[in-house]
Amino acid sequence: MTQPILMPALSPTMTKGSLAKWLVAPGDQINAGDIIAEVETDKVTIELEAAHSGYVNELKFAEGDSDIAVDAVLATLSETPPTGHSSAPEKAAPPLEKTEPTVAISAQITESETISLPAQTVVTDSNLDISPLARRMANIAQLDIAKVKGSGAKGRIVKRDIEKAMGVDDKASAAAQPAAAPIAIDTSLLPAHQEQKLSAMRSVIAERLTASSRDIPHFYMTVDCRLDALLATRKMLNEQLDDVKITVNDMLVKAVAVAFARVPKANVLWGGDKLLQFTQSDIAIAVAIDEGLITPIIHNATNLGLAALATKSKQLVELARNGKLQPEQFQGGTFTISNLGMYGIKEFTSIINPPHNGILSVGAGEKRPVVDDEGNLGVATVMSLTLAMDHRAVDGATGAELLKCIKQIIEQPYQLML
């Protein structure tokens, strides 16, 4: 009898992964819980644990193989050594455990972070039999699992049951969505170059932003803000703080959160046949890392003081750059701030990062000529902000009201402390 080892799924939307490294070879004797391979998925490299004990019979994929479908058989185990291999006489192979072959959890970790993937076990809760993947998905979706009918063995609640309860049918959606035709490139006409294999993270970024640009009707609007009062306030506050220094970006996060509290009709998300009205603002900040871009989230930013917000922001940025963010620190969120001012970029537009309802593109603060209300010409530090929002959920006038409010708060920074 052989037992399969399957490609795990780390999120409900994951469809494929890569085999980074084998840590075993055919004929090796292993025990349940042994690390047998490293698997690379969309945003994580995981250590794959054996769910069973036995002998490695066959490796189905080679190191470096990519686009391996979820639940594809990576290797097989047998009760006895495969042909051509003999077991050590002092150590008999234990029998294969009669447990389910699927090994899967649902999470997203930054790429460079390594986690151990435990063998799947039965979890009982209020007399309900539910797999770890199904439990994780139900928790994320905030489903009452007591109302979910299991379709697995002996009524066990499994992944497909949670997807059904969420109204998700991945196979039907994939079949209904026509595949985009790739852009044909004649590489023979290009100068000398080297091909670089896409990382799993870069592939996911490409897929998500392509879908966002294609499926979300963006509208954009830009406003210029005078920064002199905000910079003076920041300097005054930092002179009184010892443990943390407030950045302009921290003050922008706070300004956006306060603005959403004042313009709640802008703090919504398109839900297909409904609008989701947020009761707080969870603001994500775009952080560039070697593998791409990740957006750690400052939860409930409206209720954080500037010092606490600055501390939280610094911690999240450091975790992001070191590849140590936990899933709850970058999943979800309601809005994004992308700041390229440090590169001297005057103005730019961004693509909305689902499931966020919008994104604010922040340019550099620079000295510009300005005219005051009395017609006098002067010089001020000015920054351009470009707001992008989902036109399905937010009208242009509402977006303009939100951006006007953000500008007012920035130019009158005492409002950040109200």
Side-chain angles (χ1 to χ4, degrees):
M1 177 182 176
T2 61
Q3 191 71 254
I5 299 172
L6 308 182
M7 169 62 76
L10 274 90
S11 73
T13 57
M14 175 185 162
T15 59
K16 57 190 177 183
S18 302
L19 194 289
K21 184 178 181 180
W22 280 115
L23 303 178
V24 296
D28 288 353
Q29 180 185 349
I30 62 174
N31 295 314
D34 288 349
I35 306 299
I36 59 174
E38 293 179 1
V39 176
E40 181 182 290
T41 61
D42 51 3
K43 288 187 178 181
V44 61
T45 298
I46 64 168
E47 292 179 339
L48 183 61
E49 292 184 7
H52 315 282
S53 300
Y55 291 92
V56 178
N57 185 56
E58 182 182 8
L59 304 181
K60 299 286 189 178
F61 292 92
E63 293 183 354
D65 282 354
S66 58
D67 296 338
I68 304 173
V70 168
D71 289 340
V73 177
L74 298 177
T76 57
L77 299 180
S78 60
E79 296 179 347
T80 58
T83 303
H85 297 272
S86 59
S87 61
E90 69 277 7
K91 185 178 181 181
L96 287 174
E97 301 173 8
K98 303 300 188 292
T99 57
E100 292 189 13
T102 301
V103 180
I105 64 174
S106 177
Q108 286 182 316
I109 316 294
T110 54
E111 190 170 345
S112 79
E113 183 174 0
T114 302
I115 62 172
S116 294
L117 191 64
Q120 185 167 354
T121 57
V122 174
V123 178
T124 302
D125 183 10
S126 300
N127 298 320
L128 290 176
D129 186 5
I130 181 170
S131 72
L133 171 58
R135 177 182 294 282
R136 174 67 175 163
M137 292 172 62
N139 288 338
I140 293 174
Q142 297 182 344
L143 291 177
D144 183 357
I145 57 176
K147 298 179 179 179
V148 178
K149 183 178 180 180
S151 63
K154 298 182 180 179
R156 189 183 203 200
I157 299 173
V158 293
K159 174 185 175 183
R160 61 177 175 269
D161 302 318
I162 302 300
E163 290 178 338
K164 183 178 180 180
M166 295 169 60
V168 176
D169 187 343
D170 290 339
K171 293 182 179 179
S173 298
Q177 179 65 47
I183 300 174
I185 300 176
D186 187 349
T187 57
S188 66
L189 302 177
L190 300 178
H193 61 276
Q194 293 180 336
E195 291 187 358
Q196 296 182 354
K197 183 179 178 181
L198 290 177
S199 68
M201 186 175 186
R202 174 53 57 187
S203 297
V204 170
I205 290 173
E207 292 174 1
R208 286 174 58 84
L209 294 186
T210 298
S212 176
S213 179
R214 179 188 65 233
D215 300 334
I216 298 178
H218 292 52
F219 72 83
Y220 295 94
M221 49 185 65
T222 302
V223 70
D224 291 335
C225 304
R226 298 190 188 187
L227 283 181
D228 299 281
L230 183 139
L231 294 175
T233 301
R234 172 177 173 264
K235 180 180 179 181
M236 178 188 67
L237 292 173
N238 282 337
E239 288 174 349
Q240 301 178 34
L241 296 172
D242 296 325
D243 299 332
V244 66
K245 296 302 180 183
I246 298 170
T247 68
V248 171
N249 207 64
D250 297 329
M251 301 178 84
L252 290 176
V253 171
K254 181 68 174 181
V256 169
V258 172
F260 270 122
R262 296 180 182 178
V263 190
K265 59 185 176 182
N267 199 16
V268 296
L269 178 67
W270 178 256
D273 59 348
K274 55 186 174 294
L275 286 179
L276 307 181
Q277 177 71 61
F278 298 125
T279 56
Q280 66 183 46
S281 295
D282 293 349
I283 309 297
I285 48 178
V287 178
I289 58 178
D290 290 341
E291 296 83 4
L293 195 70
I294 195 164
T295 52
I297 300 163
I298 300 175
H299 294 278
N300 204 6
T302 311
N303 292 337
L304 290 177
L306 280 172
L309 192 154
T311 300
K312 174 61 69 174
S313 176
K314 181 180 179 181
Q315 291 172 346
L316 290 172
V317 170
E318 289 179 353
L319 289 171
R321 290 174 176 165
N322 293 326
K324 299 298 183 182
L325 285 173
Q326 297 300 309
E328 63 273 12
Q329 293 174 315
F330 66 88
Q331 290 180 344
T334 60
F335 189 83
T336 313
I337 292 179
S338 180
N339 191 340
L340 294 180
M342 68 289 293
Y343 297 103
I345 303 301
K346 179 178 180 179
E347 180 183 331
F348 66 104
T349 60
S350 302
I351 298 174
I352 294 173
N353 179 32
H356 301 171
N357 66 343
I359 185 169
L360 186 70
S361 305
V362 181
E366 57 184 7
K367 297 292 185 181
R368 299 185 199 173
V370 296
V371 179
D372 63 22
D373 294 337
E374 298 178 358
N376 299 315
L377 181 63
V379 176
T381 306
V382 179
M383 173 179 64
S384 295
L385 302 178
T386 300
L387 175 69
M389 298 207 78
D390 185 345
H391 216 328
R392 297 171 301 178
V394 178
D395 293 329
T398 301
E401 184 180 354
L402 176 69
L403 192 55
K404 179 182 178 181
C405 187
I406 295 172
K407 173 183 169 71
Q408 289 175 342
I409 296 170
I410 289 173
E411 295 184 344
Q412 302 172 10
Y414 68 85
Q415 296 187 43
L416 294 172
M417 276 72 79
L418 296 179

